[in-house]
Amino acid sequence: MKHFLLAILLCLITNSTTAGNIALIIDDMGYRKQDEAAFALPPQVTFAILPHTPYSTRYSVRASEQDREVMLHMPMEALAGNRLGPGALTAQMTEQAITQELGLALNSVPHAIGLNNHMGSKLTQLSSPMRTTMNFLQTRQMFFVDSRTTRYSKAEKIAALQGVPSAHRHVFLDHFQDEAHMRQQFNRLIRIAKKYRNAVGIGHPYEETLRFLRQALPELAGHGIRLIPISALMQEKALALADQPVSTNHTE
């Protein structure tokens, strides 16, 4: 909560002086010791940590000590039948089982203030498990970021209906781990931020990605772009919605 309030204050102070904002999430943290190289990235970069992995709790605590925001990177069932990893949510699970698995996963990633899906191209299309997931998040005052592994995802719509702050991924930076591809994706993220005010990028703790980001992130200031924690982007979205005019048209 402390980090969230600080992010809101930062948003309010600097909102009018920038061309746009980027929130960057590093997914798949927790399996490998070498992933700790990501801790050298600016603390505004959010870590999405897989539950029940060798370093899930340790990395979550260390990130919190850096005042870095942490998300639970929750494995969810994919259409292709991908191997999901421990604690995954599947379409066959009952509401009680989903809630139980979410609670256990959250226990392994302390300090998480939000959740995004790991895979999930099947599960995020299904209304019932998404309602259960959003109810879990709503009761814990957590937010949701849709990794958008399918264009048919219902997750963000259901989050809105249940009062859960949400956003979605605009760009995957490192589907291919070569500098030319990552540069193209990074530039695309900047264009989206300038056009729509806010943009969400997702990368992974690959050596090539971390090397690229160390070089590229300092460039954002020259574009008038702020790198902000994901909770600050949620607040930016809330402020933008509040500023929208209320329709006075009535049909009777």
Side-chain angles (χ1 to χ4, degrees):
M1 182 60 69
K2 176 186 71 174
H3 299 159
F4 183 69
L5 293 175
L6 288 174
I8 291 174
L9 180 61
L10 177 65
C11 238
L12 294 173
I13 291 173
T14 60
N15 182 55
S16 62
T17 62
T18 60
N21 307 294
I22 285 174
L24 181 62
I25 300 168
I26 299 297
D27 271 358
D28 293 357
M29 293 287 290
Y31 266 115
R32 308 180 310 160
K33 188 177 189 304
Q34 54 264 46
D35 292 349
E36 66 183 357
F39 283 93
L41 293 174
Q44 293 87 350
V45 176
T46 298
F47 286 173
I49 300 177
L50 289 158
H52 312 301
T53 51
Y55 298 94
S56 54
T57 301
R58 184 185 308 183
Y59 283 176
S60 183
V61 171
R62 183 173 172 184
S64 180
E65 290 171 349
Q66 286 188 319
D67 286 330
R68 185 189 302 277
E69 292 183 349
V70 170
M71 298 178 62
L72 173 61
H73 193 38
M74 193 68 193
M76 297 184 184
E77 186 173 356
L79 287 167
N82 307 60
R83 183 179 177 184
L84 299 174
L89 306 182
T90 66
Q92 291 74 33
M93 293 172 68
T94 65
E95 179 178 339
Q96 181 180 6
I98 289 174
T99 300
Q100 181 178 4
E101 285 296 344
L102 286 167
L104 292 171
L106 191 58
N107 289 341
S108 78
V109 185
H111 309 291
I113 60 173
L115 179 150
N116 73 328
N117 52 297
H118 175 61
M119 296 184 281
S121 55
K122 179 175 182 177
L123 203 76
T124 58
Q125 295 186 53
L126 302 178
S127 297
S128 180
M130 286 299 98
R131 281 195 296 266
T132 303
T133 299
M134 298 310 162
N135 182 62
F136 177 91
L137 298 179
Q138 194 275 332
T139 59
R140 288 157 179 79
Q141 296 185 312
M142 297 172 67
F143 57 79
F144 179 80
V145 176
D146 192 345
S147 300
R148 293 289 289 177
T149 55
T150 171
R151 62 184 294 188
Y152 303 109
S153 173
K154 298 179 179 180
E156 208 172 0
K157 180 178 179 180
I158 293 173
L161 290 172
Q162 295 192 221
V164 175
S166 65
H168 64 269
R169 182 269 313 165
H170 295 96
V171 171
F172 278 124
L173 290 175
D174 52 4
H175 185 69
F176 302 104
Q177 293 95 58
D178 66 83
E179 185 173 355
H181 174 77
M182 288 187 282
R183 170 57 64 181
Q184 181 184 51
Q185 294 297 89
F186 190 74
N187 290 343
R188 181 176 168 224
L189 191 62
I190 290 172
R191 291 194 300 271
I192 292 170
K194 287 182 175 181
K195 183 173 182 180
Y196 297 106
R197 181 68 187 169
N198 297 298
V200 178
I202 290 181
H204 300 83
Y206 306 132
E207 180 180 351
E208 298 85 353
T209 303
L210 300 180
R211 184 188 311 119
F212 172 78
L213 289 173
R214 286 193 294 269
Q215 168 194 331
L217 288 177
E219 301 171 9
L220 293 178
H223 292 277
I225 301 291
R226 282 189 305 145
L227 179 66
I228 62 174
I230 187 63
S231 67
L233 185 135
M234 293 291 178
Q235 181 62 21
E236 281 272 350
K237 286 191 63 178
L239 290 171
L241 287 172
D243 287 341
Q244 289 182 0
V246 178
S247 173
T248 57
N249 294 329
H250 300 279
T251 57
E252 297 181 351

